[in-house]
Amino acid sequence: LSPTFVEEHLALLLKIASCSPDGQLRMHAIVTLGDWITKFPHIVEASGSTILYEALTDPCLSVRRAGASVLSSLLLADMVKARGHISHLAKALVDDDSTVSAASSALFQALAQKTGNPVYALLTDIFSTLSRDEHLEMEQFQEIMRFLTSLISLERHADSLVEKLTWRFRDVDQVEVQRQIAFTLSCLTLTERGVRRLLELRKCWIPALADEEVRSLFEAMAQKCLAPPKKNGAAAAAAAAAEDTAAATSTTVSTSNS
């Protein structure tokens, strides 16, 4: 297999992988595409990676399984880029087929163990794409976010995500998206710094409390922080800050109901 051969036949392989009416043929093309990316990344990766990610939503199960397997190997070897396409892999977490969902789960867990935890850097990109996905059920969105946030282990990463997500309240007026933001926030571990930053940005999220579901999620966050501290004074300080959050919530609700 030579670079010249790959360059001459790449367009045909991509067409087969994405457009062939034969599922088995598409599956074999996906496997071949992964092999070509490994051997000739400078020729194939730019156009081939998009087709691989799209394979994760293919109606044919064997194609989705092949896509999940090939992408897992390539991503862990840093042979393809994740940003911009990673939401396809996140959606695979709730695939009906256990093989596909397990492969996606294992990949994200492996990524979380790499230096810097790439899952942290990718999470807001995933959130942005999935929150615009009209075909994704709220229950599926929650399952995906619950899993991905469980992979955020460093407090500074959680604090940063709290701030980034909270700012998003300012830019959206769709109740569904506000619920998604609140739910994702509720899945994160709230540190003292995170809670205080949440309070500092309360002008962003207080208007969203008009929705009962958003309000319930914020109340649940406050209660979680108010639980008896397990370790030291930092936890107690976070609980005290959470009391302020609960007070802000109550004040807003009382005002909206009067």
Side-chain angles (χ1 to χ4, degrees), residues 71-250:
L71 274 171
S72 294
S73 299
L74 293 175
L75 279 167
L76 291 177
D78 295 321
M79 299 295 294
V80 295
K81 297 177 182 178
R83 192 172 296 277
H85 301 286
I86 195 66
S87 61
H88 288 290
L89 198 59
K91 286 182 68 175
L93 288 166
V94 293
D95 194 279
D96 292 335
D97 179 65
S98 60
T99 300
V100 175
S101 60
S104 178
S105 174
L107 173 58
F108 277 111
Q109 289 175 324
L111 285 175
Q113 299 303 313
K114 299 186 75 168
T115 303
N117 189 357
V119 176
Y120 155 72
L122 295 168
L123 200 144
T124 51
D125 183 34
I126 293 172
F127 180 95
S128 296
T129 304
L130 296 187
S131 65
R132 297 191 301 266
D133 191 331
E134 298 179 354
H135 303 291
L136 189 69
E137 299 292 335
M138 186 60 166
E139 292 76 11
Q140 294 176 314
F141 175 90
Q142 291 178 343
E143 184 177 346
I144 292 169
M145 285 300 153
R146 188 181 294 111
F147 174 77
L148 294 179
T149 53
S150 73
L151 302 177
I152 306 300
S153 57
L154 293 181
E155 289 187 353
R156 60 185 175 84
H157 285 169
D159 292 341
S160 177
L161 288 170
V162 166
E163 180 167 355
K164 290 178 180 179
L165 289 167
T166 303
W167 276 116
R168 288 174 181 258
F169 278 110
R170 183 187 56 176
D171 301 321
V172 299
D173 53 14
Q174 303 101 315
V175 173
E176 188 76 6
V177 179
Q178 292 174 344
R179 291 173 178 174
Q180 291 171 333
I181 297 172
F183 177 82
T184 306
L185 282 171
S186 73
C187 292
L188 291 167
T189 299
L190 292 175
T191 66
E192 176 188 358
R193 183 181 183 281
V195 172
R196 293 196 181 282
R197 191 60 181 140
L198 194 63
L199 286 171
E200 291 169 357
L201 297 174
R202 57 184 174 273
K203 288 185 179 180
C204 295
W205 53 263
I206 281 181
L209 298 180
D211 177 69
E212 183 177 351
E213 186 172 330
V214 172
R215 185 167 66 249
S216 295
L217 287 165
F218 269 88
E219 290 172 347
M221 281 189 275
Q223 290 302 314
K224 184 166 63 173
C225 290
L226 285 166
K230 296 180 180 180
K231 293 185 179 180
N232 51 36
E243 288 182 325
D244 293 337
T245 305
T249 301
S250 299

